[in-house]
Coordinates of all heavy atoms in Angstrom, one line a residue:
R446 N 57.5 12.2 0.0 CA 57.1 13.6 -0.2 C 58.3 14.4 0.3 O 58.0 15.2 1.3 CB 55.7 13.9 0.6 CG 54.6 13.2 -0.2 CD 53.4 12.7 0.7 NE 52.8 13.7 1.7 CZ 51.8 13.5 2.5 NH1 51.2 12.2 2.5 NH2 51.4 14.4 3.3
V447 N 59.3 14.4 -0.3 CA 60.6 15.0 0.1 C 60.5 16.6 0.1 O 60.8 17.2 1.3 CB 61.7 14.6 -0.8 CG1 63.0 15.3 -0.3 CG2 62.0 13.1 -0.7
E448 N 60.1 17.2 -0.9 CA 60.0 18.7 -0.9 C 59.0 19.3 0.0 O 59.2 20.3 0.7 CB 59.6 19.1 -2.4 CG 60.7 18.8 -3.4 CD 62.2 19.3 -3.0 OE1 62.2 20.4 -2.5 OE2 63.1 18.5 -3.1
E449 N 57.9 18.6 0.1 CA 56.9 19.0 1.1 C 57.5 19.0 2.6 O 57.3 19.9 3.4 CB 55.7 18.1 1.0 CG 54.6 18.4 2.1 CD 53.5 17.4 2.2 OE1 53.7 16.4 2.9 OE2 52.5 17.6 1.5
A450 N 58.1 17.9 2.8 CA 58.7 17.6 4.2 C 59.8 18.7 4.5 O 60.0 19.3 5.5 CB 59.4 16.2 4.3
K451 N 60.7 19.0 3.4 CA 61.6 20.1 3.6 C 61.0 21.4 3.9 O 61.5 22.2 4.8 CB 62.6 20.2 2.3 CG 63.6 19.1 2.1 CD 64.3 19.4 0.8 CE 65.4 18.4 0.6 NZ 66.2 18.5 -0.6
S452 N 60.0 21.7 3.2 CA 59.3 23.0 3.4 C 58.8 23.1 4.9 O 59.0 24.2 5.5 CB 58.2 23.1 2.4 OG 57.5 24.3 2.7
I453 N 58.2 22.0 5.4 CA 57.7 22.1 6.7 C 58.8 22.3 7.7 O 58.6 23.1 8.6 CB 56.9 20.8 6.9 CG1 55.7 20.7 6.1 CG2 56.5 20.7 8.5 CD1 55.0 19.4 6.1
L454 N 59.9 21.5 7.5 CA 61.0 21.6 8.6 C 61.7 22.9 8.5 O 62.1 23.6 9.5 CB 62.0 20.5 8.4 CG 61.5 19.1 8.7 CD1 62.7 18.1 8.9 CD2 60.6 19.1 10.0
K455 N 61.8 23.5 7.4 CA 62.5 24.9 7.1 C 61.7 25.9 7.9 O 62.3 26.7 8.6 CB 62.7 25.2 5.6 CG 63.7 24.4 5.0 CD 63.7 24.7 3.5 CE 64.7 23.8 2.7 NZ 64.7 24.2 1.3
K456 N 60.4 25.9 7.8 CA 59.6 26.8 8.5 C 59.7 26.7 10.1 O 59.8 27.7 10.7 CB 58.1 26.7 8.2 CG 57.8 27.1 6.7 CD 56.4 26.8 6.3 CE 56.1 27.2 4.9 NZ 54.8 26.9 4.5
L457 N 59.7 25.5 10.5 CA 59.9 25.2 12.0 C 61.3 25.6 12.5 O 61.3 26.2 13.5 CB 59.7 23.7 12.3 CG 58.3 23.1 12.2 CD1 58.3 21.6 12.5 CD2 57.5 23.8 13.3
I458 N 62.3 25.4 11.7 CA 63.6 25.8 12.0 C 63.7 27.3 12.1 O 64.3 27.8 13.1 CB 64.7 25.2 11.0 CG1 64.8 23.7 11.2 CG2 66.1 25.9 11.2 CD1 65.5 23.0 10.0
Q459 N 63.1 28.1 11.2 CA 63.2 29.4 11.2 C 62.3 30.0 12.3 O 62.6 31.0 13.0 CB 62.7 30.1 9.8 CG 63.7 29.7 8.7 CD 65.1 30.3 8.9 OE1 65.3 31.3 9.7 NE2 66.1 29.6 8.2
K460 N 61.2 29.5 12.5 CA 60.2 29.9 13.5 C 60.8 29.8 15.0 O 60.6 30.8 15.7 CB 58.9 29.1 13.4 CG 57.9 29.4 14.5 CD 56.6 28.6 14.3 CE 55.6 29.0 15.4 NZ 54.3 28.1 15.3
H461 N 61.4 28.6 15.2 CA 61.9 28.4 16.6 C 63.4 28.5 16.9 O 64.0 28.3 17.8 CB 61.4 27.0 17.0 CG 60.0 26.8 17.0 ND1 59.1 27.5 17.9 CD2 59.1 26.0 16.3 CE1 57.8 27.1 17.7 NE2 57.9 26.2 16.6
K462 N 64.1 28.9 15.7 CA 65.5 29.1 15.7 C 66.2 27.9 16.2 O 67.0 27.8 17.1 CB 65.9 30.3 16.6 CG 65.4 31.6 16.1 CD 65.9 32.8 17.0 CE 65.5 34.1 16.2 NZ 64.1 34.3 15.8
V463 N 65.9 26.7 15.6 CA 66.5 25.4 15.8 C 68.0 25.4 15.7 O 68.4 25.8 14.6 CB 65.8 24.3 15.1 CG1 66.4 23.1 15.2 CG2 64.3 24.2 15.4
D464 N 68.8 24.8 16.6 CA 70.2 24.8 16.5 C 70.7 23.4 16.0 O 71.6 23.3 15.2 CB 70.7 25.1 17.9 CG 70.4 26.5 18.4 OD1 70.7 27.4 17.7 OD2 69.9 26.6 19.5
I465 N 70.0 22.3 16.5 CA 70.5 21.0 16.3 C 69.2 20.1 15.9 O 68.2 20.3 16.6 CB 71.3 20.4 17.5 CG1 72.4 21.3 17.9 CG2 71.8 19.0 17.3 CD1 73.1 20.9 19.2
I466 N 69.4 19.1 15.1 CA 68.4 18.1 14.8 C 68.9 16.9 15.4 O 70.1 16.3 15.0 CB 68.1 18.0 13.3 CG1 67.6 19.4 12.8 CG2 67.0 16.9 13.1 CD1 67.4 19.4 11.3
S467 N 68.2 16.3 16.3 CA 68.5 15.0 16.9 C 67.8 13.8 16.3 O 66.5 13.8 16.3 CB 68.2 15.0 18.5 OG 68.4 13.8 19.0
I468 N 68.4 13.0 15.5 CA 67.8 11.8 14.7 C 68.0 10.6 15.4 O 69.0 10.1 15.8 CB 68.4 11.7 13.4 CG1 68.4 13.2 12.6 CG2 67.7 10.8 12.5 CD1 69.2 13.2 11.3
G469 N 66.9 9.9 15.6 CA 66.9 8.6 16.2 C 67.5 7.6 15.4 O 67.5 7.7 14.1
N470 N 68.2 6.5 15.9 CA 68.9 5.5 15.1 C 68.1 4.3 14.7 O 68.7 3.3 14.3 CB 70.2 5.2 15.9 CG 69.8 4.4 17.1 OD1 68.8 4.4 17.6 ND2 70.9 3.7 17.6
G471 N 66.8 4.4 14.7 CA 66.0 3.3 14.4 C 65.7 3.0 12.9 O 66.5 3.5 12.1
T472 N 64.6 2.5 12.7 CA 64.2 2.2 11.3 C 64.1 3.5 10.4 O 63.7 4.6 10.9 CB 62.8 1.6 11.3 OG1 62.8 0.4 12.0 CG2 62.4 1.3 9.9
A473 N 64.7 3.5 9.3 CA 64.8 4.6 8.3 C 65.7 5.7 8.8 O 65.6 6.8 8.3 CB 63.4 5.2 8.0
S474 N 66.6 5.3 9.7 CA 67.5 6.5 10.3 C 68.4 7.0 9.2 O 68.5 8.3 9.2 CB 68.3 5.8 11.5 OG 69.3 6.6 11.9
R475 N 69.1 6.3 8.5 CA 70.1 6.7 7.5 C 69.4 7.4 6.3 O 69.9 8.4 5.8 CB 70.9 5.6 7.1 CG 71.9 5.1 8.2 CD 72.6 6.1 8.9 NE 73.5 5.6 10.0 CZ 74.2 6.4 10.7 NH1 74.2 7.7 10.6 NH2 75.0 5.8 11.8
E476 N 68.2 7.0 5.9 CA 67.5 7.7 4.9 C 67.1 9.0 5.4 O 67.2 10.0 4.7 CB 66.3 6.9 4.4 CG 66.5 5.6 3.8 CD 66.6 4.4 4.8 OE1 66.9 4.6 5.9 OE2 66.5 3.3 4.3
S477 N 66.6 9.1 6.7 CA 66.3 10.3 7.3 C 67.5 11.2 7.5 O 67.4 12.5 7.2 CB 65.6 10.1 8.7 OG 64.4 9.3 8.6
E478 N 68.6 10.7 7.7 CA 69.8 11.5 7.9 C 70.2 12.0 6.6 O 70.5 13.3 6.5 CB 71.0 10.6 8.4 CG 72.3 11.4 8.5 CD 73.5 10.4 8.8 OE1 73.3 9.2 8.7 OE2 74.6 10.9 9.1
K479 N 70.1 11.4 5.5 CA 70.4 12.0 4.2 C 69.5 13.1 3.8 O 69.9 14.2 3.4 CB 70.3 10.9 3.1 CG 70.8 11.4 1.8 CD 70.8 10.2 0.7 CE 71.4 10.7 -0.6 NZ 71.0 12.0 -1.1
F480 N 68.1 12.9 4.2 CA 67.1 14.0 3.9 C 67.5 15.2 4.7 O 67.4 16.3 4.2 CB 65.8 13.4 4.4 CG 64.7 14.5 4.5 CD1 64.2 15.1 3.5 CD2 64.4 14.8 5.9 CE1 63.3 16.2 3.7 CE2 63.5 15.8 6.1 CZ 62.9 16.5 5.0
V481 N 67.9 15.1 6.0 CA 68.2 16.1 6.9 C 69.4 16.9 6.3 O 69.4 18.2 6.2 CB 68.4 15.7 8.3 CG1 69.0 16.7 9.2 CG2 67.1 15.3 9.0
A482 N 70.5 16.2 5.9 CA 71.7 16.7 5.5 C 71.4 17.6 4.3 O 72.0 18.6 4.1 CB 72.7 15.6 5.3
D483 N 70.7 17.0 3.4 CA 70.3 17.9 2.2 C 69.6 19.1 2.6 O 69.8 20.1 1.9 CB 69.5 16.9 1.2 CG 70.3 15.8 0.5 OD1 71.4 15.8 0.7 OD2 69.6 14.8 0.1
M484 N 68.6 18.9 3.4 CA 67.8 20.1 3.8 C 68.5 21.2 4.4 O 68.4 22.3 4.1 CB 66.7 19.6 4.7 CG 65.7 20.8 5.0 SD 64.9 20.5 6.6 CE 66.2 20.4 7.8
I485 N 69.4 20.9 5.4 CA 70.2 21.9 6.1 C 71.2 22.6 5.2 O 71.7 23.7 5.5 CB 70.8 21.4 7.4 CG1 71.8 20.4 7.1 CG2 69.7 20.9 8.4 CD1 72.6 19.9 8.4
G486 N 71.6 21.9 4.2 CA 72.4 22.6 3.2 C 71.7 23.6 2.3 O 72.3 24.4 1.5
E487 N 70.4 23.7 2.4 CA 69.6 24.6 1.6 C 69.1 25.8 2.4 O 68.4 26.7 1.9 CB 68.3 23.9 1.0 CG 68.7 22.7 0.0 CD 67.6 21.9 -0.4 OE1 66.4 22.3 0.0 OE2 67.7 20.9 -1.0
I488 N 69.5 25.8 3.7 CA 69.0 27.0 4.6 C 70.2 27.8 5.0 O 71.4 27.4 5.0 CB 68.2 26.5 5.8 CG1 69.1 25.5 6.7 CG2 66.9 25.8 5.3 CD1 68.3 25.1 7.9
D489 N 69.9 29.1 5.3 CA 70.9 30.1 5.8 C 71.4 29.8 7.2 O 72.6 30.0 7.6 CB 70.5 31.5 5.5 CG 70.2 31.8 4.1 OD1 70.9 31.1 3.3 OD2 69.3 32.6 3.8
R490 N 70.4 29.4 8.1 CA 70.7 29.2 9.4 C 71.7 28.1 9.7 O 71.6 27.0 9.1 CB 69.4 29.1 10.2 CG 69.7 28.9 11.8 CD 68.3 28.8 12.5 NE 68.7 28.6 13.9 CZ 69.0 29.6 14.8 NH1 69.2 30.8 14.4 NH2 69.2 29.3 16.0

């Protein structure tokens, strides 16, 4: 549910003015990293 997840995180980032996303290096880490990289490329902050 990629687009839904992006929408949720974008709102949290704007609401709390998030500076950095800290991703754990466990299971699904690199898939999550790709998702995060794609998402932050779509926001102004």
Side-chain angles (χ1 to χ4, degrees):
R446 288 149 55 180
V447 176
E448 293 307 316
E449 176 190 85
K451 283 183 179 180
S452 176
I453 293 171
L454 291 199
K455 286 176 183 177
K456 289 177 182 177
L457 286 176
I458 290 170
Q459 294 299 337
K460 178 182 178 181
H461 300 294
K462 296 182 172 52
V463 171
D464 299 302
I465 306 170
I466 300 175
S467 178
I468 306 173
N470 66 342
T472 303
S474 169
R475 293 308 180 181
E476 292 90 339
S477 298
E478 179 188 8
K479 186 176 187 311
F480 161 77
V481 167
D483 289 344
M484 181 204 61
I485 62 179
E487 299 173 5
I488 58 179
D489 295 332
R490 181 175 178 78

